[in-house]
Amino acid sequence: MPTDTKNSSQPAGRPSSELNVDLIKADFPILEEKVNGHRLVYLDSAASSQKPQEVVHALSQYYRHMHSNIHRGLHTLAERATVAYEKSRQHVADFIGGVEPEEVIFNSGTTEAINLVARTWGEANINEGDEIVVTEMEHHANFVPWFMLAQRKKAVIRKLPITVCGHLDLSEIDSIIGPRTKLVAITHMSNVLGTINPIQEIAALAKKHGALVLGDGAQAAPHLPINVRDLGVDFYAFSAHKMMGPTGLGLLYGRRELLEAMPPYKFGGEMISKVSFDEVTFAELPHKFEAGTPNIADVVTFDAALTYLERVGMNNARQHEIDLTGYTIEKLNSLNGLEIQGPQEVEQRGGAISFTDPTIHPHDISTFLDSRGIAIRAGHHCAQPLMRAMGKVATARASLYIYNDRSDVDALVEALVEMRKYFGL
Amino acid sequence: MPTDTKNSSQPAGRPSSELNVDLIKADFPILEEKVNGHRLVYLDSAASSQKPQEVVHALSQYYRHMHSNIHRGLHTLAERATVAYEKSRQHVADFIGGVEPEEVIFNSGTTEAINLVARTWGEANINEGDEIVVTEMEHHANFVPWFMLAQRKKAVIRKLPITVCGHLDLSEIDSIIGPRTKLVAITHMSNVLGTINPIQEIAALAKKHGALVLGDGAQAAPHLPINVRDLGVDFYAFSAHKMMGPTGLGLLYGRRELLEAMPPYKFGGEMISKVSFDEVTFAELPHKFEAGTPNIADVVTFDAALTYLERVGMNNARQHEIDLTGYTIEKLNSLNGLEIQGPQEVEQRGGAISFTDPTIHPHDISTFLDSRGIAIRAGHHCAQPLMRAMGKVATARASLYIYNDRSDVDALVEALVEMRKYFGL
Amino acid sequence: MSSSLDDMYREIIMDHYRSPRGRAPLPNADVSSDGMNPSCGDEINVAFSMDKDILTDVHVNCKGCAISVASGSMLAETVKGKSFEDVRKISEIVKKMLKGEEVEIPDDPDFEDLSALKGVRQFPVRIKCALLAWVTLVEGMEKYRAGGADSAKAATTEEDQ
Amino acid sequence: MSSSLDDMYREIIMDHYRSPRGRAPLPNADVSSDGMNPSCGDEINVAFSMDKDILTDVHVNCKGCAISVASGSMLAETVKGKSFEDVRKISEIVKKMLKGEEVEIPDDPDFEDLSALKGVRQFPVRIKCALLAWVTLVEGMEKYRAGGADSAKAATTEEDQ
Ligand SMILES: Cc1ncc(COP(=O)(O)O)c(C=O)c1O
Ligand SMILES: Cc1ncc(COP(=O)(O)O)c(C=O)c1O
């Protein structure tokens, strides 16, 4: 069981003593799997994290002891499930910095959360000639919805470019964010480069021009302590499955007054007030945005996932990631010709580390590593515009989480050395 | 473990010997819960079914042995998860009568499945003056999306009314479905009345006028053998959580040529082909409609839920429901003044049985029954237009599934007798 | 065993349910306020006459469960002759009592019957039933104060399936 | 242990990868067909000249992994002088071989190298890599037959994160 020292921080550079990775590893049954005869070295958490035993257990317990449809039932199980469901909402509200529970909308993922904003706020507020600013490093989930909205509305997509080092290039920002800007859609942490973006500064500038800011927290929320009010964002979207939680659950934070003014996204049960053949009126927040039977089991289970993360401590998690990312970058740099994308400064990045080999294609890297039990990802990582900006068709990406340690990184680097021999290139 | 006699049927009226409810009950751990000191008598399956042990187990096994993001990974876990995910799609395709797997779209529930069709097919094909026919007994999920679409498009909602017996009133159908009809949205089985609607006949008429038919299978798919081609529907929507599966998972069947012609619903990863700042192109079916990380664990688990239902046999399940519904109606009719809504003929209805007491409000009925461990639902069941048509503000609803037997019905009826004494009315 | 059930359905509650007070129509009401509880379909109409700030007469018609009807009936018995501030205060006390928050219940004949609603707090989903009449009345009074609208609507949230 | 790895990355595959055939530009091509594999970003251009129904010359340029490059290189070696029907037949055999379906591999020099692709079948996600060149060529030929479009696009599905 991990230690609980939530707000401590400590000097970088040495292994974080706050976090006992051996104990953490023991919480994740899947890490005992054998893959192609090797122990599983899971370095693909940016795609989806593994789940601690207690989260899997919470899920079973839910179905064994309290499953029922919620909100509308008068019987004991319905009451139990409803209380647990709303408790989880309160937990999310606390976890992201103490917002109101009605400002937390459950849905199916970051992708849906962003689509929700585009379809409701966007549909109502973006008009011809308006500008939506997105960065060049966005995941398709935070690019395509805005691209399509702009196309429908004859609005303009403005691009915040990246530097060769993988930071946002803010040199021209004053000519990009301006009075015509209606929204800045920006990832808090890049899933390819690891870059942590200065959302706070950008949000302050956007605010000056009356623009809203949507933060894509899919990569940041699992890895950084988050306070959406401090960040200054109006919307913040993230996914449970990347942060110890179950698949099929997304979270949208939105400022109350914005959510209240927005039209509903889906229509059906639970989100209405009155329905007749003449008139339909809608329910209050948050129900207005949660039509139909929600993903009750996974919402209830996410409570346990957040508890796990809090017990580890998000500051400890971050510190561990800084240490291990530094170690990984150093080791990878020792391989001749291997090229790391994204910032080298560990304080300015997370543990998603993309790299390319001068002669071996990322696909082949991934297949070879898998034969040694090592799971990484290869491809364009749902960020084709970024790939184009970097002049790559694909990268290999190793991504770290709290259950990874130096032994995992060592296994990766050894296998890469072996790979180069194997392909004899 | 239930028996496997998939296609047998047997005379109604006597307990179905094919289905051993004692053995089935033993598969559902939650049925051992004590509620207010009594054994749980769960009569709320129309809201959400309970889950057999093996389904809960499949969910844990997924997270313990194969969790990974899918479709885009080259490593072993990703391959395992992808194969299991697509196997489940094939299973759904087989379960609903042998359609192509690309015609099965995973989403978050019946509600979302219907919203998807309204937002994509509806947005593209419904124009001013067009008519959408819905029945008076629709769940809000199959009413509000069409109501809102009609409002946006200045289209017309036409109503197929019900008879006093709770059947569809088809006497005027030829003046309701006609050349201006673009869509008929109809529930296959009512969640309030239990009525099974003659979708096949209605679909034939709709087809004659070139209209499409969307079947809401949320209540039917868990309880009847389904063949969407025989039904003649163009779309069919249902929810996993009402049929032994996990919460947060919905299914949409759509005819391939329709799905191919429809614009995407959500935008993001996985559903695109090429993305740049100049152009976005979309992936093929079914990926076009599954943006972002899907609900992988629940999709994989649903495979086990379908296997369970098939082992019981949908014909056996149906036969059991006919028997038990008949028994329930007979018993309830023996209570003076208690009024059952919906058809009394068991062959024309499912096991969702709504009733009202002349003096005790459904809310109070539900609370009293809960004090005896009996879970039913009370309210308008997301069907306010139907409530209005019936002249009720609310009903109490007991709903049956394969894990219910006569002892559960007896417990209900005894408690209702006790309740009348208790309230002394 | 069912002591908490008995606690909610006290004799006094059942008495109000069987013969609700305040049913008499109020043809010259100044305000008519409709409320509904979407979770069960309970519907209520609260109409009342005002003389300056004083509520002089009230009519309550509730189609609902024992708890919402009884609560409306108690309201009808309690609020006549009270000022807007009085009504608001009573309704706050009722709300707190129902939610199990700490609140001193005035030693006051008004609360003799009202305190019987305490039993509802063990049934969290039923709290809305007990609140419906109060929410509807207060909203009506607010509308009246804000500009004399003669009709107001109140609804608690949620809904069922 | 890694025998299936060795089975995929056979010497013959690696040889095609290191020195892909058919890279020479074909300035007077009749058809140029672009393909991409969205799941990895692999991109390919297949250009060819036709004389009636016979493919007289071919150019393949693939930016991709060892498997897609090798498969494209083998294609370049195989299809010259073949008719549309021949090419379609070969590509069907390759497809079946890759998917592990039953198929008789012709005892034919064309298939000497091609049968080395068999090892890919143990890596289902890599099958698309091996197919990319073939899908792109066949689509190009179909476009040509349908009306002589001089450019065609092919894409296998899916995508990664
Ligand atoms: C007939 C009918 N349609 C639609 C729905 C909505 O299903 P879900 O809440 O799973 O989206 C339900 C269940 O609540 C239903 O009974
Ligand atoms: C930065 C970023 N944004 C959005 C997403 C989309 O998240 P999901 O697939 O859970 O909807 C991801 C993950 O794939 C991501 O890394």
Side-chain angles (χ1 to χ4, degrees):
Chain A
M1 219 50 10
T3 44
D4 180 10
T5 46
K6 210 171 155 192
N7 284 302
S8 81
S9 81
Q10 54 168 157
R14 64 181 178 82
S16 78
S17 57
E18 310 285 353
L19 200 143
N20 185 327
V21 181
D22 287 342
L23 289 182
I24 290 180
K25 270 187 194 289
D27 292 336
F28 291 78
I30 202 171
L31 297 179
E32 285 151 34
E33 287 290 294
K34 285 267 173 271
V35 168
N36 294 317
H38 298 263
R39 81 170 170 97
L40 170 63
V41 175
Y42 189 74
L43 297 172
D44 194 21
S45 295
S48 195
S49 86
Q50 297 302 343
K51 323 302 169 200
Q53 178 58 38
E54 64 196 69
V55 167
V56 180
H57 183 68
L59 195 47
S60 307
Q61 288 302 96
Y62 169 80
Y63 283 121
R64 283 195 189 136
H65 299 297
M66 64 163 105
H67 174 61
S68 163
N69 217 320
I70 57 168
H71 283 142
R72 355 182 201 190
L74 299 165
H75 57 75
T76 299
L77 290 182
E79 173 66 14
R80 261 186 223 169
T82 304
V83 167
Y85 183 88
E86 292 303 331
K87 174 164 168 279
S88 188
R89 193 195 305 278
Q90 181 67 57
H91 202 165
V92 175
D94 296 342
F95 189 83
I96 59 174
V99 303
E100 296 171 43
E102 293 80 15
E103 295 179 313
V104 173
I105 308 297
F106 290 121
N107 52 58
S108 69
T110 304
T111 301
E112 174 160 71
I114 297 172
N115 275 271
L116 187 164
V117 178
R119 279 275 189 199
T120 57
W121 178 87
E123 207 62 55
N125 291 283
I126 297 293
N127 297 305
E128 188 167 342
D130 287 346
E131 295 184 357
I132 300 170
V133 175
V134 301
T135 83
E136 209 168 25
M137 64 170 87
E138 294 309 312
H139 187 280
H140 293 159
N142 202 24
F143 176 80
V144 185
W146 307 119
F147 183 92
M148 299 305 296
L149 177 68
Q151 204 168 64
R152 269 200 311 282
K153 296 286 195 168
K154 301 198 170 75
V156 179
I157 295 284
R158 297 291 305 270
K159 170 169 80 180
L160 259 184
I162 57 163
T163 67
V164 284
C165 308
H167 290 288
L168 282 183
D169 179 354
L170 300 177
S171 58
E172 310 272 309
I173 193 165
D174 283 318
S175 70
I176 296 169
I177 296 176
R180 304 183 123 176
T181 310
K182 282 284 174 331
L183 177 78
V184 180
I186 181 173
T187 188
H188 192 178
M189 187 193 283
S190 162
N191 65 317
V192 179
L193 306 168
T195 319
I196 299 170
N197 287 320
I199 289 208
Q200 217 163 357
E201 288 81 337
I202 294 171
L205 178 63
K207 202 129 298 171
K208 242 177 51 189
H209 293 291
L212 299 191
V213 176
L214 179 142
D216 174 354
Q219 293 298 333
H223 299 278
L224 303 177
I226 301 294
N227 185 317
V228 291
R229 296 220 195 281
D230 288 353
L231 286 175
V233 292
D234 300 285
F235 299 105
Y236 197 77
F238 52 111
S239 297
H241 72 93
K242 293 187 201 277
M243 49 197 296
M244 309 297 178
T247 59
L249 178 62
L251 296 305
L252 174 68
Y253 157 77
R255 276 203 294 117
R256 177 190 276 279
E257 62 194 86
L258 294 169
L259 293 178
E260 275 174 352
M262 277 150 61
Y265 173 55
K266 291 185 239 176
F267 304 103
E270 197 74 41
M271 56 71 69
I272 59 88
S273 172
K274 270 195 173 180
V275 174
S276 76
F277 273 83
D278 304 317
E279 192 196 5
V280 171
T281 60
F282 303 116
E284 307 277 298
L285 290 182
H287 307 287
K288 184 170 89 174
F289 291 107
E290 295 180 5
T293 305
N295 191 347
I296 309 167
D298 291 335
V299 167
V300 169
T301 299
F302 191 47
D303 190 19
L306 292 179
T307 299
Y308 187 86
L309 282 173
E310 283 165 346
R311 218 164 44 238
V312 171
M314 290 308 288
N315 282 310
N316 293 331
R318 173 65 185 139
Q319 191 53 51
H320 173 69
E321 192 148 290
I322 287 176
D323 295 340
L324 197 56
T325 301
Y327 182 74
T328 310
I329 289 178
E330 190 186 312
K331 284 285 189 168
L332 289 178
N333 277 335
S334 73
L335 295 176
N336 221 342
L338 203 99
E339 192 188 322
I340 295 177
Q341 268 72 39
Q344 302 261 338
E345 314 88 333
V346 289
E347 303 283 353
Q348 294 168 36
R349 59 167 299 148
I353 305 167
S354 279
F355 59 91
T356 50
D357 182 279
T359 50
I360 307 172
H361 189 278
H363 253 188
D364 298 313
I365 297 177
S366 176
T367 297
F368 183 88
L369 292 177
D370 184 58
S371 77
R372 301 303 185 260
I374 302 166
I376 66 151
R377 201 142 286 240
H380 54 59
H381 313 288
C382 291
Q384 290 182 11
L386 173 60
M387 290 291 138
R388 209 155 292 124
M390 301 192 306
K392 304 277 173 204
V393 288
T395 71
R397 182 188 70 190
S399 56
L400 309 168
Y401 210 1
I402 51 172
Y403 40 66
N404 294 122
D405 60 14
R406 293 185 174 205
S407 78
D408 297 332
V409 176
D410 293 342
L412 169 68
V413 175
E414 274 159 39
L416 288 171
V417 171
E418 226 192 309
M419 169 189 81
R420 288 170 157 209
K421 283 202 207 104
Y422 182 88
F423 286 121
L425 288 164
Chain B
M1 215 56 8
T3 44
D4 180 9
T5 44
K6 211 172 156 192
N7 283 302
S8 80
S9 81
Q10 52 167 155
R14 63 182 179 81
S16 77
S17 57
E18 310 286 352
L19 201 144
N20 185 326
V21 181
D22 287 342
L23 289 182
I24 291 180
K25 270 186 194 289
D27 292 335
F28 291 78
I30 203 171
L31 297 180
E32 285 149 33
E33 286 291 293
K34 285 266 174 272
V35 168
N36 294 317
H38 297 264
R39 82 172 169 96
L40 170 63
V41 175
Y42 189 74
L43 296 173
D44 194 22
S45 295
S48 196
S49 87
Q50 297 301 344
K51 322 300 170 201
Q53 178 57 39
E54 64 196 71
V55 166
V56 181
H57 184 68
L59 195 47
S60 307
Q61 288 301 97
Y62 169 80
Y63 282 121
R64 282 194 191 137
H65 299 297
M66 62 164 106
H67 174 60
S68 163
N69 216 319
I70 56 166
H71 284 142
R72 353 181 201 191
L74 299 165
H75 56 77
T76 299
L77 290 181
E79 173 66 14
R80 261 185 223 169
T82 304
V83 167
Y85 183 88
E86 292 302 332
K87 175 163 168 279
S88 188
R89 194 195 303 278
Q90 180 68 56
H91 202 165
V92 175
D94 295 342
F95 188 83
I96 59 174
V99 303
E100 296 172 42
E102 293 78 15
E103 296 179 313
V104 173
I105 307 297
F106 290 121
N107 52 59
S108 70
T110 304
T111 302
E112 173 160 70
I114 297 172
N115 275 271
L116 187 164
V117 178
R119 279 277 191 198
T120 57
W121 178 87
E123 207 62 55
N125 291 282
I126 297 292
N127 298 306
E128 187 167 345
D130 287 346
E131 296 184 356
I132 300 171
V133 176
V134 301
T135 83
E136 208 168 26
M137 64 170 86
E138 294 310 312
H139 187 280
H140 294 159
N142 201 25
F143 176 80
V144 185
W146 307 119
F147 183 92
M148 299 304 296
L149 178 68
Q151 204 167 66
R152 270 199 312 282
K153 297 287 195 165
K154 300 199 170 73
V156 180
I157 295 284
R158 297 293 303 272
K159 170 169 78 178
L160 259 184
I162 57 163
T163 67
V164 284
C165 307
H167 289 288
L168 282 183
D169 180 353
L170 301 178
S171 59
E172 310 272 310
I173 193 166
D174 282 317
S175 70
I176 296 169
I177 297 178
R180 305 184 121 176
T181 310
K182 281 285 175 327
L183 177 77
V184 180
I186 180 173
T187 188
H188 193 176
M189 187 194 280
S190 162
N191 65 317
V192 179
L193 307 169
T195 319
I196 299 170
N197 288 319
I199 290 207
Q200 217 162 358
E201 288 80 338
I202 293 171
L205 179 62
K207 202 128 298 171
K208 242 177 51 189
H209 294 291
L212 298 191
V213 176
L214 179 142
D216 173 353
Q219 293 298 332
H223 298 278
L224 304 177
I226 300 293
N227 185 316
V228 292
R229 296 221 196 281
D230 287 354
L231 286 175
V233 292
D234 300 285
F235 299 106
Y236 197 78
F238 52 110
S239 296
H241 72 92
K242 293 190 201 273
M243 50 197 297
M244 310 295 179
T247 61
L249 177 63
L251 295 306
L252 173 68
Y253 157 77
R255 277 202 294 118
R256 178 192 275 278
E257 62 192 89
L258 293 168
L259 293 178
E260 275 174 353
M262 277 150 61
Y265 173 55
K266 293 186 236 176
F267 304 102
E270 197 74 40
M271 56 71 70
I272 59 89
S273 172
K274 271 195 169 177
V275 174
S276 77
F277 272 84
D278 303 316
E279 192 197 4
V280 170
T281 59
F282 303 116
E284 308 277 297
L285 292 181
H287 308 287
K288 183 170 91 175
F289 290 107
E290 294 181 4
T293 304
N295 190 347
I296 309 168
D298 291 335
V299 167
V300 170
T301 299
F302 191 46
D303 190 19
L306 292 180
T307 299
Y308 187 86
L309 282 174
E310 285 166 345
R311 217 162 47 238
V312 171
M314 291 307 289
N315 282 310
N316 293 332
R318 174 63 186 140
Q319 190 53 51
H320 174 69
E321 192 148 290
I322 287 177
D323 295 340
L324 197 57
T325 301
Y327 182 76
T328 310
I329 289 179
E330 190 187 311
K331 284 285 190 167
L332 289 178
N333 276 335
S334 74
L335 295 175
N336 222 341
L338 203 98
E339 193 187 324
I340 295 177
Q341 269 71 39
Q344 302 262 338
E345 314 87 332
V346 290
E347 302 285 351
Q348 294 169 35
R349 60 167 299 147
I353 305 168
S354 278
F355 59 91
T356 50
D357 182 279
T359 49
I360 307 170
H361 188 277
H363 251 187
D364 298 312
I365 297 177
S366 176
T367 297
F368 183 87
L369 292 178
D370 185 57
S371 77
R372 302 302 186 260
I374 302 166
I376 65 151
R377 202 142 284 243
H380 54 59
H381 315 289
C382 290
Q384 290 182 12
L386 173 60
M387 291 291 139
R388 209 154 293 122
M390 301 192 306
K392 305 275 174 206
V393 287
T395 70
R397 181 189 70 190
S399 56
L400 310 169
Y401 211 0
I402 51 172
Y403 39 67
N404 294 122
D405 59 16
R406 294 185 174 205
S407 78
D408 296 333
V409 176
D410 292 342
L412 169 69
V413 175
E414 274 160 38
L416 288 172
V417 171
E418 226 194 310
M419 169 189 82
R420 287 171 158 209
K421 283 202 207 105
Y422 182 89
F423 285 122
L425 288 164
Chain C
M1 185 188 68
S2 55
S3 68
S4 63
L5 197 72
D6 297 345
D7 220 37
M8 177 157 75
Y9 294 116
R10 287 175 197 204
E11 192 40 46
I12 197 161
I13 300 270
M14 293 313 289
D15 179 61
H16 277 278
Y17 179 46
R18 283 187 207 106
S19 23
R21 330 302 194 243
R23 280 262 160 138
L26 200 63
N28 297 320
D30 293 307
V31 184
S32 169
S33 179
D34 289 323
M36 78 168 292
N37 185 341
S39 79
C40 48
D42 283 0
E43 286 175 9
I44 199 166
N45 172 262
V46 181
F48 53 93
S49 329
M50 299 290 290
D51 182 7
K52 303 237 174 73
D53 195 38
I54 301 299
L55 191 153
T56 51
D57 208 355
V58 65
H59 154 85
V60 176
N61 186 2
C62 179
K63 287 191 221 153
C65 64
I67 305 305
S68 59
V69 170
S71 180
S73 169
M74 289 174 181
L75 174 143
E77 273 197 332
T78 313
V79 299
K80 235 184 278 185
K82 298 276 194 307
S83 73
F84 183 65
E85 272 320 307
D86 290 341
V87 170
R88 202 212 289 278
K89 254 182 228 155
I90 298 172
S91 100
E92 280 308 310
I93 294 171
V94 171
K95 203 179 282 183
K96 285 192 175 150
M97 181 179 79
L98 286 168
K99 297 199 167 161
E101 289 170 26
E102 212 151 330
V103 61
E104 210 178 319
I105 294 172
D107 186 15
D108 178 322
D110 284 346
F111 284 89
E112 230 167 74
D113 285 12
L114 277 177
S115 60
L117 287 171
K118 235 189 299 188
V120 177
R121 77 164 70 137
Q122 283 161 80
F123 295 84
V125 279
R126 305 300 298 275
I127 291 171
K128 277 185 307 209
C129 307
L131 282 178
L132 180 60
W134 297 91
V135 170
T136 308
L137 174 61
V138 169
E139 286 213 6
M141 291 183 90
E142 270 166 4
K143 280 261 168 81
Y144 178 75
R145 289 228 300 196
D150 72 328
S151 176
K153 278 186 204 294
T156 52
T157 33
E158 277 156 56
E159 198 223 336
D160 59 336
Q161 153 178 69
Chain D
M1 185 189 69
S2 54
S3 66
S4 64
L5 198 71
D6 297 345
D7 219 36
M8 177 156 77
Y9 294 117
R10 287 174 198 204
E11 193 40 45
I12 198 161
I13 301 271
M14 294 312 290
D15 178 60
H16 277 278
Y17 179 46
R18 286 189 205 103
S19 25
R21 331 301 196 244
R23 279 261 161 138
L26 199 63
N28 296 321
D30 293 307
V31 185
S32 169
S33 179
D34 288 324
M36 77 168 293
N37 185 341
S39 78
C40 49
D42 283 0
E43 287 175 9
I44 199 167
N45 172 262
V46 181
F48 53 94
S49 329
M50 300 290 289
D51 182 5
K52 302 236 174 74
D53 195 37
I54 302 298
L55 191 153
T56 52
D57 208 354
V58 65
H59 154 85
V60 176
N61 186 2
C62 179
K63 289 191 218 150
C65 65
I67 305 305
S68 58
V69 170
S71 179
S73 168
M74 290 173 182
L75 175 143
E77 274 198 330
T78 313
V79 299
K80 235 185 276 184
K82 297 277 194 306
S83 72
F84 182 64
E85 272 320 308
D86 290 341
V87 170
R88 202 210 289 278
K89 256 184 227 154
I90 298 171
S91 98
E92 280 307 310
I93 293 171
V94 171
K95 202 179 283 184
K96 283 190 178 152
M97 181 178 79
L98 286 166
K99 297 198 167 162
E101 290 170 24
E102 211 149 332
V103 61
E104 210 178 317
I105 295 173
D107 185 14
D108 179 323
D110 284 346
F111 284 90
E112 230 167 73
D113 285 15
L114 277 177
S115 60
L117 287 171
K118 235 189 296 188
V120 177
R121 77 164 69 136
Q122 283 160 79
F123 295 85
V125 280
R126 304 301 297 276
I127 292 172
K128 277 185 307 212
C129 308
L131 282 178
L132 181 60
W134 297 92
V135 169
T136 308
L137 174 61
V138 169
E139 286 215 5
M141 292 184 89
E142 270 167 2
K143 278 261 168 82
Y144 177 75
R145 289 228 299 194
D150 73 327
S151 176
K153 278 185 203 294
T156 51
T157 34
E158 279 157 53
E159 199 224 335
D160 60 335
Q161 151 178 70

